[in-house]
Amino acid sequence: MTRITKKQLPHHYAASRVLRSRKGLVTFSILVAVSLIGFFTHTKNNDVSSTNSGKSEEDIGGDFEQIIPHIGEVMPLSWQADRNLVTPNAYRVSLPPELLRAMKEYCDTNGLTELARHYILSEENNISPGGEEYLTLKDGLLWYAQRPAKKWKSDMHWISPANEETHEAYLKLINENGFLSVLNYIGDKLGLDSLVAYHLTFIVVSHCERGFLHHDTTGTDGKVFNVIIPMEMVDGSPPELIITKFDDDHVKGRLKYQTNVAVLIGDDARHATSECDYRDEPGAMRLAATVYIADINEDNAESIASGTLTQAFPLPDVDWLLSQRARHWERDIMRTDIGENGVRKHFVGDRGRRGYDPYDNEHMDCANRVAGNPSKCEIDWDTRSQCPVTCGVYLDSSHWL
């Protein structure tokens, strides 16, 4: 059932906002700052952390080794008690400090931080479970917000770009402030052929009764990761993320988020948002950014599109996803099509979208379908997905010329 919401928001948000509640909305591989609350017997309760890269640190309240990685190091997640591997596709990496500074400034300036805080400030402000809405922020760009179904048992909301214009603006910001260097050492250390950052989301939560255990990706042969970047944490709060042992969901460990340290969650790394309740302190929230990165090729593009593209943008379009492959990083690889000693040169940068021309479904009569009712692109999923050109989902290819 579709309805229009008139919930009051801060004055700078667009006046017309559309809320859609859609059955099965959360087929979502949610990029979330992870985890189902669990009790692990080896936990200590100290709350001491170190900011010195690569140096040992005291227990900060979790169950995992949380030494700060050196810049350029990709550190597998291991248990604090015995240093054994937790799960094959979970890692931690340090981030350049300028990246977090730029992301915070971006969210503060365009109103996204204020919007996130608004959602969790009271139940009246929450989107209904399983609902979503489109809204324009101070930057004049279109954004998309969702709340997962009741089974998530939290006030968690996801805020992400609603179209390619917004996606590209945010992507440009993180790439210009150090994220490309992160891709460079992730790709190198994990032995990948290429990488692109292709799916962007912010996640906010203030209370969670019980996390919903899930994995973000599966069956990609270690070629897709959700990079979780903590942006705002509540002082003195318990660990925010729980990840289970790779062969036993009953063994759960807690991970404490650290400033300028990202967590990589890959194939079959089971996790859930940890129990929390910050509501005694009005406006207190946990805010994280998640960036999906992938080594995309002809063999895995379809499964990546269907398994991870579940938001307003990107649409689950295999051709669009293939247009993004090797966009941001590529290693030196021998090529047989350019001679015996041919080498595809190492690349770090942004090649832009390549070889993709969006089109409307000719059987949908998109012009008439949307004429006089542009909001149909937001309240009707079929219209948006089948009429992406008419609905303005994609940028014109000339944007990258």
Side-chain angles (χ1 to χ4, degrees):
M1 179 178 178
T2 300
R3 61 190 177 90
I4 303 296
T5 180
K6 295 183 179 178
K7 293 188 299 181
Q8 184 177 0
L9 275 180
H11 70 278
H12 56 267
Y13 299 127
S16 64
R17 301 175 42 202
V18 182
L19 175 64
R20 171 162 61 86
S21 188
R22 179 157 56 88
K23 184 179 181 182
L25 180 63
V26 194
T27 48
F28 237 90
S29 353
I30 160 178
L31 328 166
V32 46
V34 202
S35 305
L36 171 72
I37 190 71
F39 178 77
F40 190 73
T41 56
H42 300 291
T43 303
K44 298 178 182 177
N45 294 314
N46 298 333
D47 188 18
V48 181
S49 62
S50 167
T51 57
N52 295 319
S53 176
K55 294 188 177 181
S56 63
E57 70 179 58
E58 297 181 47
D59 178 26
I60 59 173
D63 301 310
F64 305 117
E65 285 283 299
Q66 293 204 230
I67 296 171
I68 304 294
H70 290 286
I71 290 289
E73 182 179 10
V74 179
M75 185 175 290
L77 192 65
S78 59
W79 297 106
Q80 185 183 86
D82 55 19
R83 299 191 178 181
N84 286 333
L85 192 69
V86 176
T87 190
N89 293 301
Y91 302 89
R92 296 166 53 252
V93 298
S94 285
L95 305 172
E98 62 269 23
L99 177 61
L100 183 58
R101 285 196 297 266
M103 293 172 70
K104 284 186 172 181
E105 181 179 356
Y106 178 77
C107 292
D108 290 346
T109 301
N110 74 0
L112 194 145
T113 304
E114 184 178 356
L115 174 65
R117 206 176 309 279
H118 169 85
Y119 280 139
I120 56 86
L121 201 55
S122 70
E123 290 186 11
E124 184 181 56
N125 292 353
N126 291 167
I127 296 175
S128 299
E132 59 187 3
E133 59 191 11
Y134 293 79
L135 60 156
T136 300
L137 295 184
K138 291 178 182 179
D139 55 11
L141 299 176
L142 188 66
W143 291 80
Y144 170 74
Q146 286 182 298
R147 186 180 176 191
K150 288 183 178 180
K151 66 182 179 180
W152 291 84
K153 296 186 180 298
S154 74
D155 67 351
M156 182 178 291
H157 288 67
W158 306 317
I159 307 170
S160 60
N163 56 29
E164 195 167 35
E165 181 183 20
T166 307
H167 173 89
E168 288 295 324
Y170 176 37
L171 188 61
K172 183 174 186 289
L173 173 101
I174 63 173
N175 284 346
E176 289 179 349
N177 287 279
F179 194 71
L180 290 174
S181 68
V182 178
L183 292 181
N184 188 34
Y185 60 74
I186 290 175
D188 181 58
K189 299 298 185 183
L190 298 186
L192 301 173
D193 293 331
S194 67
L195 279 173
V196 58
Y198 71 97
H199 189 2
L200 316 169
T201 303
F202 294 95
I203 298 169
V204 60
V205 66
S206 73
H207 73 92
C208 176
E209 296 175 24
R210 188 186 72 217
F212 178 69
L213 194 64
H214 66 284
H215 58 251
D216 290 337
T217 69
T218 187
T220 74
D221 194 26
K223 294 186 181 297
V224 179
F225 290 92
N226 175 16
V227 183
I228 302 170
I229 303 173
M231 294 182 62
E232 181 171 330
M233 296 166 279
V234 177
D235 290 341
S237 64
E240 298 87 355
L241 176 66
I242 290 178
I243 304 175
T244 69
K245 190 171 183 284
F246 72 95
D247 58 355
D248 188 352
D249 277 354
H250 294 95
V251 180
K252 305 176 182 73
R254 304 177 303 151
L255 183 142
K256 181 67 181 168
Y257 283 152
Q258 295 160 290
T259 301
N260 295 322
V261 178
V263 183
L264 275 63
I265 300 295
D267 281 355
D268 304 309
R270 302 269 291 170
H271 58 276
T273 300
S274 178
E275 285 183 353
C276 64
D277 194 345
Y278 311 140
R279 291 173 295 180
D280 287 344
E281 185 179 343
M285 66 180 182
R286 181 197 312 164
L287 180 66
T290 67
V291 181
Y292 266 57
I293 63 174
D295 181 357
I296 297 167
N297 56 50
E298 295 280 354
D299 295 329
N300 64 21
E302 186 171 352
S303 63
I304 293 174
S306 62
T308 67
L309 300 184
T310 52
Q311 293 178 291
F313 188 87
L315 295 172
D317 185 329
V318 174
D319 291 336
W320 181 88
L321 196 63
L322 286 170
S323 78
Q324 304 291 309
R325 58 183 169 179
R327 175 172 172 174
H328 296 132
W329 177 84
E330 192 170 25
R331 71 164 60 253
D332 288 347
I333 296 178
M334 294 297 298
R335 284 180 52 174
T336 59
D337 60 333
I338 55 175
E340 184 178 349
N341 297 316
V343 176
R344 184 170 66 197
K345 294 296 183 181
H346 175 255
F347 173 80
V348 182
D350 190 347
R351 291 178 166 128
R353 190 186 80 193
R354 298 177 294 169
Y356 178 74
D357 292 310
Y359 59 89
D360 288 343
N361 184 334
E362 60 182 10
H363 301 296
M364 293 291 286
D365 192 17
C366 292
N368 289 327
R369 190 181 182 95
V370 176
N373 187 16
S375 66
K376 199 172 184 67
C377 291
E378 299 171 0
I379 64 176
D380 182 56
W381 187 258
D382 284 342
T383 298
R384 182 175 183 81
S385 61
Q386 298 299 316
C387 304
V389 176
T390 300
C391 288
V393 174
Y394 297 104
L395 289 168
D396 188 88
S397 297
S398 61
H399 177 82
W400 290 275
L401 296 179

